[in-house]
Amino acid sequence: MKQLLYFTFISLFFVIIGCEKQDPLRTIETEYLDSVHYDASVFYPLEDMISPEPIFENKYGVSFAIEEFFNDKGDSSQISNVFIDKKTGVISVRDASLLDQEAIYHANIATFTVSGKTVHEKAWSMGITPVTGEVFYSSPTPSYERYFEGEVLHLDSAFFGEGNTAISYELVNASKGLSIDEATGHISKVDFMEAGEYDIAVKVLTEGGETTLSEVAKVKIYGAPELVYQPNFFKIQGDYSIQAIPTVREFLDGATYEVQVQDNLTLSNLAIDENAVITLPENHNNTVGVYKVDVIATLDGQTFTFEEAVTIEIVAQISPEISYAENKVTLSPWTGYTFTPELYSLPRNAVVTLTTALPEGMTFDPETGSITIAEEQNFTDATYSIDINVNTPSHGDTPLTALTQIVIETKAQILLEDDMTSDALRIDYIRQQVVLNDNERSGASWNTTASRSYCRAQANIWSGDYTRWSYIAVSYAVDNIRRATVSFDNGVNKDLKDTDEYTEDYFTVNYNADYDGSDAIHDFVWEKDTNANISRVGTDIDNGPYVSSGVLEIDTKYLVNNRVNIAWLAHKDMTEIPDSFKTGHTFGFNNIVVTAYTKYDAVVE
């Protein structure tokens, strides 16, 4: 039996040897795998990152594993982020967002045959390329109208590499008034925009990643041309001259001008220059009558007609006349304004005197009749009725009264008015408490309940040296703020003591210019209002009486950022309080009124 088994094994061995000699393609491989190669790959950031199939000699009896995955910066932390199919050798990245887009990655691959394991260094190399591309816009005919709404840039084509198409479009740092269609990339004007030239940058999300293309186009917004003369009415004698200078001349740079009198009338020697200044010389001797003058401007091949830009009335004998377009103008104490007469018709040698007394910061020009009110003067509320006297040799004194009215009016804006009778603190309030060296007993920050009509903070006495700050604050954004005030009532349940060496000053109202309305009140430096009347006499604060802080004017240095920031603070530093003074207090305040005063535009009647 043993002889039979031995004969069978020897026979099988020679059969195997014979097969190998007849197998030139080496389909039965028992050697180590000498070479494995992958074509290098470059991917977009959002693309599926899958390697090509490896190239190697034998196709039978091989399995694959990732030996190492590292980048050229020495980072090998992403090995768990790659997966290899042990049968095909294809490598895939699980989460591409974890890879460094500025690095090249290499994979060392281990192969296993019946002869054992072989490691192939840098068998696959891969990297990530940023998405680049181009977009091409065409523009419709520009409109001079700043209120125009519609498409201003049409996306004709976009290219981000072969097989990488756009998913959505977004404007970068878009100017107000412009909007982009997320799907098509077309850009439209959707709201009023100031005239000017705007650079357009577009962020594009593609199938392969995101890219931002800067200055892809320009949008030019033109304004409707404007030409205004003030005064625009002149009453003269036949031997008087006039000069009409435009006070508004917008979007007419480079224009040429001509004048035309309506109703086919003629004004001899009437002229207009390149700056749109209209002149009529002395002794023109035109016929008595009313002449309505149109100005025609030509710009870039377009013609714009300004009808009745100027009206000239020629009379036999002129009398003093002055009028303003405004009957009444209401201004804040900080608002500037200029009154220009619509009619300033005076005989020769007239002496013009303003008889209304105006404060410093308001000026009258007798040559033109204009009244100029400077900005940021903080005028006192008042009403000024404008009276002017004209003296001429031919007419003597001619009083012209109530020509217009200037009203300076401060308008109050109540930001907060709170009697603390609601069930809980309003959303306006921000609270923070900071305690050092006694974290277990932090006390109570500012709070209120339905059972009391005030907001309170307890400052209890504890053992140990600790410090506590209890804040309650309000922060309001107010455009064009120029002045703000605050008032409140306050009380304390126990007398505050002071000596020559120490003063109990535990409750304050404070201001800050930079506070951003966050919960971190303590991170900002607050300045105490030393003008506030703070109660020092202990009372039953559940029943009163409370004392009034008085109306506190908040210094304008705290309003520079168009915000009103106020913080009430209960503060005790037990490391500084003498032992004989260490006692608890409860502070309360209510009836808060915060008022703002802003600069507003002129109200013309």
Side-chain angles (χ1 to χ4, degrees), residues 204-224:
V204 188
L205 178 64
T206 73
E207 292 177 347
E210 188 177 84
T211 183
T212 297
L213 306 175
S214 300
E215 297 184 4
V216 297
K218 292 182 182 293
V219 173
K220 293 183 178 180
I221 304 298
Y222 298 92

Side-chain angles (χ1 to χ4, degrees), residues 18 33 52 116 121 123 171-172 189 278 290 301 385 412 423 446 504 563:
L33 191 57
E121 294 187 356
L171 286 178
V172 179
K189 184 175 177 293
I278 300 172
V290 177
S385 182
D423 289 349
W446 288 105
E504 294 188 332
R563 293 193 76 89

Side-chain angles (χ1 to χ4, degrees), residues 128 256 306 312 404 565 581:
I128 303 171
T256 58
F306 302 94
I312 302 172
T404 189
N565 295 321
F581 279 59

Side-chain angles (χ1 to χ4, degrees), residues 489-492 535 537-548:
D489 295 342
N490 66 94
V492 63
S535 175
V537 178
T539 65
D540 177 6
I541 63 172
D542 283 323
N543 301 304
Y546 276 51
V547 302
S548 173

Side-chain angles (χ1 to χ4, degrees), residues 36-47:
V36 170
H37 171 73
Y38 296 78
D39 289 337
S41 307
V42 179
F43 301 99
Y44 288 123
L46 297 182
E47 191 176 1

Side-chain angles (χ1 to χ4, degrees), residues 167-180:
I167 298 173
S168 64
Y169 297 86
E170 177 185 346
L171 286 178
V172 179
N173 298 325
S175 300
K176 182 182 179 183
L178 292 178
S179 177
I180 193 168

